[in-house]
Amino acid sequence: GVALRRFLLSAGARSEATTIKIACRQPVRQLLRRFSTLAAGNTRKSSFHLFENLFPTQISSTLGLLLSDQPELFPLLWPSTSTTQVRSFSPANMSEAAAAPAAVAEQLDEKLKVTEGAAPVEEKPHPSGLSLEERFQLARSVAEECLNDDELRRLLANKPVPVAYDGFEPSGRMHIAQGVMKAINVNKLTKAGCNFKFWVADWFAQLNNKMGGDLKKIQTVGKYMVEVWKAVGMDLSRVEFLSSSEEINKRPDEYWTLVMDIARKNSLKRITRCSQIMGRTESDDLTAAQIFYPCMQCADIFFLKADICQLGMDQRKVNVLAREYCDDIKRKLKPVILSHRMMPGLLEGQEKMSKSDPNSAIFMEDSEQDVNSKIKKAFCPPQVADGNPCVEYIKYIIFPWFGKFEVSRAEANGGPKAYSSIEELVADYTSGALHPADLKPALSKALNAILQPVRDHFENNAEAKELLKKVKSYKITK
């Protein structure tokens, strides 16, 4: 609204009183009608380019999209201008329009059915029952970083059922971040109105030498992981699991054409910068297969027609590669990146959990005794919340799951207390009011409550039990 007022004043409006007075939420069509009333009588500006240049990009692009979608508005705004001349307005056009400013405004009023002081158009109800802002906040809450917020909001506003995706290498037992945090994030996104596609990246695991490159073992691990998510409480009503080997073989021409085009448009140096996505570094002696891997993962996003990439921060570089590829091919709609936080290992100095180190993480089918033992040994310095894996577990797993964190302790140590926010807990912990000796047992109890249905499933379901037995027998390879 401020930008539009500035433009109209610079274009020759007689005073601020004659400029439009609007709220930013006012319908764009009403802005156009009011703009046309003033613009019709103005001959001081020689080109429509000025209107576009003086506007901030977001407002300009919004109006531009409206005009491009509504060609019938052009003759009403500038009677002598055809729909193919939108970017070439001349002084003659403007002078001609000046002959009947009132008529132009009346025609627009009739065409657009707007009146002075009309209320903003009401938001159409979404099938989820949530408002646009509620859906945006829910989707945004899964990510430590979003590229970018404006695009996410616009996507949710314009597409009732966006497609979100995550891909995973079946590479061993599932730790709690991949199991519980992913279930939390998927449930949030499906509640916000998204369909979720899981890319079971069996070919990718083979390229990356997981399970010794044995595809049958990799596919067995993939089935085990799906069983974990079923058991832990992921809402699967809007979730689809797709095997990369099966899906690529169904549409090979489409997939490999994409992969080759991405490879052609990027240097070897740019591709090796993505090696982090495989748990590698740029200095590693990468195989030819591992060089090809990022090109394929980038292609996955377009092959699956994903609107949202919901992966960890360690996958950020290849997701950014996909956005850069959109620039290369002149594609305006880029995938939105929602990158969730990477959970640290339980021991001091471990930046992330590792499947190859059983003591670095809680695994989804760990016994109650295993969980208690691992949390007891976990790094948890008194009065230090930053870099404390126990506090991280509470913040990113316990609070999202239960909405609270309950501590049972003796009256001499402060008595039982239920925390309703992580901020409240951190304040007590850093002040010394909450001691690690009280925090750790409470954390173990909460984790065991989350994991018990998973244990029960793998104990009572014969197929799941057999899958777990096989997965535990496999040697983890890097």
Side-chain angles (χ1 to χ4, degrees):
V2 173
L4 191 55
R5 292 165 70 97
R6 187 185 306 124
F7 166 72
L8 292 173
L9 284 168
S10 69
R14 286 170 294 177
S15 71
E16 185 173 355
T18 65
T19 65
I20 59 174
K21 298 179 180 179
I22 60 170
C24 289
R25 292 183 179 178
Q26 202 160 11
V28 172
R29 288 189 173 193
Q30 191 166 345
L31 304 188
L32 282 172
R33 191 198 66 76
R34 295 187 178 190
F35 167 70
S36 68
T37 305
L38 291 169
N42 168 59
T43 60
R44 289 176 57 184
K45 300 298 175 184
S46 62
S47 173
F48 186 69
H49 289 299
L50 178 61
F51 172 71
E52 192 170 45
N53 292 339
L54 285 174
F55 266 76
T57 301
Q58 291 175 332
I59 299 177
S60 177
S61 63
T62 301
L63 293 175
L65 283 172
L66 175 62
L67 291 174
S68 65
D69 291 339
Q70 303 288 332
E72 72 275 9
L73 297 183
F74 294 137
L76 295 176
L77 289 171
W78 288 275
S80 67
T81 305
S82 70
T83 58
T84 60
Q85 294 174 314
V86 63
R87 296 192 180 276
S88 58
F89 285 87
S90 68
N93 297 143
M94 301 299 285
S95 298
E96 203 171 303
V104 172
E106 288 173 7
Q107 289 178 61
L108 275 173
D109 262 338
E110 180 62 26
K111 184 75 175 178
L112 303 179
K113 299 297 182 183
V114 295
T115 58
E116 294 291 332
V121 175
E122 288 187 13
E123 182 184 327
K124 291 182 180 180
H126 188 266
S128 66
L130 302 177
S131 69
L132 174 60
E133 183 60 26
E134 288 171 331
R135 292 169 62 221
F136 170 79
Q137 293 297 338
L138 193 59
R140 184 62 180 85
S141 69
V142 310
E144 184 174 41
E145 179 191 64
C146 174
L147 294 177
N148 63 47
D149 286 348
D150 289 342
E151 292 177 18
L152 175 60
R153 192 184 297 276
R154 189 157 55 246
L155 171 67
L156 295 174
N158 295 333
K159 189 169 184 178
V161 187
V163 174
Y165 117 97
D166 185 9
F168 64 92
E169 283 186 3
S171 56
R173 295 173 64 199
M174 185 184 289
H175 55 57
I176 198 165
Q178 190 174 22
V180 177
M181 280 184 64
K182 178 51 65 177
I184 291 169
N185 289 345
V186 169
N187 288 351
K188 285 182 177 181
L189 286 171
T190 54
K191 186 178 179 181
C194 298
N195 284 343
F196 204 98
K197 292 183 179 181
F198 269 111
W199 193 232
V200 186
D202 51 359
W203 269 0
F204 293 78
Q206 187 178 35
L207 286 171
N208 204 17
N209 199 39
K210 299 300 173 69
M211 297 290 122
D214 187 321
L215 188 59
K216 288 186 177 180
K217 288 182 178 180
I218 290 168
Q219 290 171 340
T220 298
V221 176
K223 293 176 183 177
Y224 146 81
M225 297 177 86
V226 173
E227 289 297 318
V228 172
W229 280 317
K230 286 180 181 178
V232 79
M234 181 183 288
D235 180 3
L236 299 179
S237 60
R238 303 183 72 170
V239 173
E240 191 176 9
F241 292 96
L242 301 169
S243 164
S244 66
S245 58
E246 292 179 8
E247 296 301 316
I248 292 170
N249 280 331
K250 288 178 184 177
R251 295 181 283 153
D253 290 353
E254 179 184 347
Y255 186 80
W256 294 115
T257 299
L258 261 173
V259 173
M260 288 189 293
D261 196 48
I262 291 165
R264 282 193 320 106
K265 287 180 167 60
N266 288 279
S267 68
L268 184 59
K269 184 177 180 180
R270 178 65 184 90
I271 295 301
T272 55
R273 275 167 43 200
C274 295
S275 56
Q276 181 188 11
I277 67 174
M278 302 173 284
R280 314 287 172 178
T281 66
E282 295 179 48
S283 61
D284 286 351
D285 183 17
L286 301 175
T287 66
Q290 290 165 338
I291 295 294
F292 215 45
Y293 188 119
C295 299
M296 292 174 63
Q297 185 169 329
C298 181
D300 294 342
I301 297 166
F302 305 100
F303 185 70
L304 294 170
K305 296 176 174 53
D307 303 299
I308 298 172
C309 302
Q310 205 294 282
L311 296 90
M313 286 294 293
D314 61 337
Q315 305 296 304
R316 182 185 187 278
K317 290 182 179 179
V318 76
N319 291 330
V320 171
L321 181 69
R323 288 175 63 87
E324 292 172 355
Y325 178 66
C326 289
D327 292 331
D328 291 335
I329 63 175
K330 313 301 181 188
R331 171 173 166 161
K332 292 183 178 179
L333 294 178
K334 299 179 181 181
V336 174
I337 304 174
L338 292 177
S339 302
H340 63 251
R341 182 177 181 79
M342 300 301 295
M343 292 293 287
L346 288 172
L347 304 179
E348 185 174 5
Q350 293 181 327
E351 292 185 0
K352 59 181 290 187
M353 297 179 181
S354 172
K355 293 179 182 179
S356 60
D357 182 359
N359 292 314
S360 73
I362 303 296
F363 290 90
M364 291 299 293
E365 70 292 328
D366 272 350
S367 68
E368 184 174 347
Q369 183 178 354
D370 289 336
V371 172
N372 294 342
S373 175
K374 289 181 181 182
I375 294 300
K376 187 175 182 179
K377 296 175 184 176
F379 179 60
C380 190
Q383 296 181 260
V384 177
D386 292 341
N388 186 325
C390 292
V391 174
E392 294 261 318
Y393 266 54
I394 295 167
K395 180 177 181 179
Y396 293 102
I397 296 176
I398 306 305
F399 270 112
W401 193 270
F402 294 109
K404 60 182 179 179
F405 181 67
E406 296 181 332
V407 176
S408 297
R409 57 188 174 185
E411 290 295 337
N413 296 325
K417 184 169 183 177
Y419 292 94
S420 58
S421 72
I422 187 63
E423 292 79 14
E424 182 186 9
L425 182 142
V426 168
D428 268 12
Y429 191 79
T430 54
S431 71
L434 177 60
H435 193 271
D438 296 315
L439 180 144
K440 284 187 171 186
L443 174 57
S444 294
K445 182 179 179 180
L447 291 173
N448 279 315
I450 294 172
L451 297 180
Q452 191 56 49
V454 181
R455 296 182 191 124
D456 292 342
H457 179 68
F458 281 96
E459 180 61 33
N460 301 324
N461 183 291
E463 184 179 351
K465 190 173 186 176
E466 183 62 25
L467 282 171
L468 178 59
K469 182 181 178 181
K470 288 182 179 179
V471 170
K472 284 185 173 181
S473 72
Y474 295 158
K475 181 181 178 181
I476 304 295
T477 59
K478 291 186 176 181

